[in-house]
Each structure stands twice: as structure tokens, then as C-alpha cells.
Amino acid sequence: ARTPPRAPVRLCSRPRRSIIAPSANRENSMPNMPTRRPRAAELLAPAFRTALWRVYDHLGQLIVLNLIWLGLLVPVVTAPAATAALFDIARRIARNEPHGVRVYFRSFADLLLPSLGLGVFSVGVLFIIWVGVDFYSHLGGALRYPGYLLAALLVWLGVFVLLMQAHLMPVLVHGDQRFIAVLRKSALLTLDNIPFTVGILVQTAALAALCVVTGAGLVLIAGSIVAVLLVSGHRVLLRRYRPDDPELEDEPETRTWRDLWRPWESKARG
């Protein structure tokens, strides 16, 4: 008798997976994917635009506060508190809180000791770094090249301390005023946002240079515009870490340069 033919043997019983189906529904299958990290330019542009319009909207009051700030810079010991109070006024403007001259002096009194500690720290560390660079760079003999290496490391440390200055005052007026906490948060923000920090300092230097060139800008608005810019940048940056914080929800600025010359048109649209 003839034996019946055998059924073909399947080498793999697992069904073949489609390479198209999973990717077609990737957004639904992974709802908790982290969002893309914004580039520094995407944060710097709205911060700069918002800062300029805030200065424009409160120009008269900021000029008065800038003159008071200049007067308080003369006694060096009050310079950190005068600067910190100006940053606190910029924070209050961003949050639509009272920000008059009386509020400025109240902030000056509240921030006197914390800002003085930060000012002494910054100046002292930069002075020590400068002395160290001068000492190590002049070593001779067998220590010449190790001295150059140590001097270069100190230079980079000094650059980092200078970059931290973009965050010190905004961190101080936005939260914990403890000395170590402010330094730690400022250092972490600098390390995690090097391009943004460099960019905001370049913007600050450009505005300060423009004020110096005009002469009147240095006296009338230089300190105020720097404070408003750094606070605006700080608030934009913090939204990366606390996107649901209601205290950081600033109204988006939709005005254009045309509204600068025709403000009645923007009021009509509003």
C-alpha cells in the first residue's frame, strides 16, 4: 500500500511581525515619550522680545528706579541689595504685582543680607582665581608647564563663575534665599543650559553697550533693562523644568515692531 504524503514541516511557527504596523500607531503606543529639548534660540528670542516690551510698558517707572539704583551703587556695601531689589521689581512686573518705589525699598531691606553674601562671594572667588592665575602662570623651572595647566583650569573656573552671574539674582528673587541653595541652583542651571546662559549674557552685554554708547541710556535705563531681560530669560528657562507652575505663566507677547510706533493699533486689536 502506498503511504500518504507527509504534510510540509513548518520551520517557524511564530507569526511574522509586520515592520509597518507598530510605527503607524507609535504615538498612541508611547504616550509618555519626553518632549524635545528646546534649543537655546527658541528660548532666547521670546525672552528678549518680552523683556523689551515690558521695559516699553513701564518705561517711566523703570527710569525712576534706575536712578535710585545708581544712587545706591555709590556706597559699595549697598550695591548688591540695590541690584537685587531691581531684579525683584522685574519679577513683580512679570507677575503683574505692585512694583513702585515703596516696594523697591521694601525689597531692598528684605534682600540686603542675602544679596550681600552673594556679592561678597562672587567678588571674593573671582579675586582668588585672578591671584591664582597670576601665581601659577609665573612658575618657572620644572613647575612651569604644571603651572600653566593649573592657571588654565582656574581660568575656566572663573568663566563658569561669571556665567553663574546670569542666574544668581533671578534665582534669589524667585525662591529660596538661602546662600547655599541659591549657589547650588545657579550652578545647576548654568551647567544644564550653557548655550542659553552664554546667549542671554551676550544679549545683556549688547544692551549694556548700547546704553553706554548713547550715554543717556546708561544713566536712565541700563540697570533696569538688564534686570528685566535676565528675569524674563529666567522665567522662560524655568518653564522647561516646571511647565505646570501657574506662577510662571506669562501672557505671550504678540505685539510687533509696528506696534512700537502705532500703539493705538495694538490697543484697538486688544
Side-chain angles (χ1 to χ4, degrees):
R2 299 178 60 183
T3 58
R6 294 181 179 179
V9 179
R10 299 180 62 182
L11 298 180
C12 181
S13 59
R14 297 175 61 183
R16 182 175 298 178
R17 298 177 61 184
S18 172
I19 61 175
I20 300 178
S23 61
N25 199 25
R26 182 168 296 177
E27 294 182 358
N28 295 332
S29 61
M30 294 182 292
N32 296 323
M33 287 287 291
T35 57
R36 179 181 64 87
R37 181 188 180 97
R39 294 180 299 176
E42 297 174 356
L43 302 176
L44 290 169
F48 188 79
R49 182 173 60 252
T50 301
L52 291 186
W53 280 110
R54 283 176 181 163
V55 171
Y56 175 77
D57 292 336
H58 304 87
L59 183 60
Q61 194 169 60
L62 288 176
I63 288 176
V64 173
L65 293 174
N66 195 84
L67 294 174
I68 297 174
W69 171 72
L70 285 176
L72 291 173
L73 290 182
V74 177
V76 179
V77 69
T78 61
T83 305
L86 203 58
F87 274 79
D88 191 53
I89 291 296
R91 179 189 66 85
R92 291 174 177 274
I93 289 176
R95 297 180 58 180
N96 294 318
E97 296 179 353
H99 47 269
V101 175
R102 183 178 300 179
V103 176
Y104 175 85
F105 282 107
R106 189 185 309 146
S107 299
F108 175 88
D110 294 339
L111 298 170
L112 179 60
L113 293 181
S115 61
L116 183 60
L118 292 174
V120 171
F121 170 82
S122 299
V123 174
V125 168
L126 290 174
F127 177 76
I128 292 173
I129 290 174
W130 177 75
V131 172
V133 170
D134 183 68
F135 173 77
Y136 288 120
S137 62
H138 288 85
L139 292 178
L143 298 177
R144 179 180 180 182
Y145 292 104
Y148 286 161
L149 177 61
L150 292 174
L153 292 176
L154 287 177
V155 168
W156 282 110
L157 178 60
V159 171
F160 180 75
V161 173
L162 289 175
L163 291 177
M164 281 180 57
Q165 305 306 309
H167 302 287
L168 277 180
M169 288 300 174
V171 169
L172 176 65
V173 301
H174 273 89
D176 196 349
Q177 297 180 2
R178 294 177 299 174
F179 179 76
I180 298 298
V182 173
L183 289 180
R184 180 176 60 84
K185 292 178 182 178
S186 300
L188 291 176
L189 284 173
T190 303
L191 284 173
D192 197 36
N193 303 276
I194 293 292
F196 174 85
T197 304
V198 173
I200 199 78
L201 286 178
V202 169
Q203 291 180 348
T204 302
L207 289 177
L210 182 61
C211 291
V212 171
V213 170
T214 58
L218 179 63
V219 177
L220 298 178
I221 200 64
S224 296
I225 197 171
V226 167
V228 172
L229 175 60
L230 291 180
V231 167
S232 298
H234 183 73
R235 294 176 65 84
V236 170
L237 186 61
L238 285 186
R239 293 191 203 114
R240 286 189 49 230
Y241 304 95
R242 305 202 303 263
D244 299 327
D245 191 343
E247 294 187 359
L248 299 174
E249 293 181 0
D250 296 340
E251 184 178 352
E253 185 58 65
T254 58
R255 287 176 290 182
T256 62
W257 296 114
R258 181 179 179 180
D259 298 318
L260 184 64
W261 311 110
R262 298 182 177 182
W264 58 87
E265 292 186 357
S266 61
K267 292 181 179 180
R269 289 195 302 268

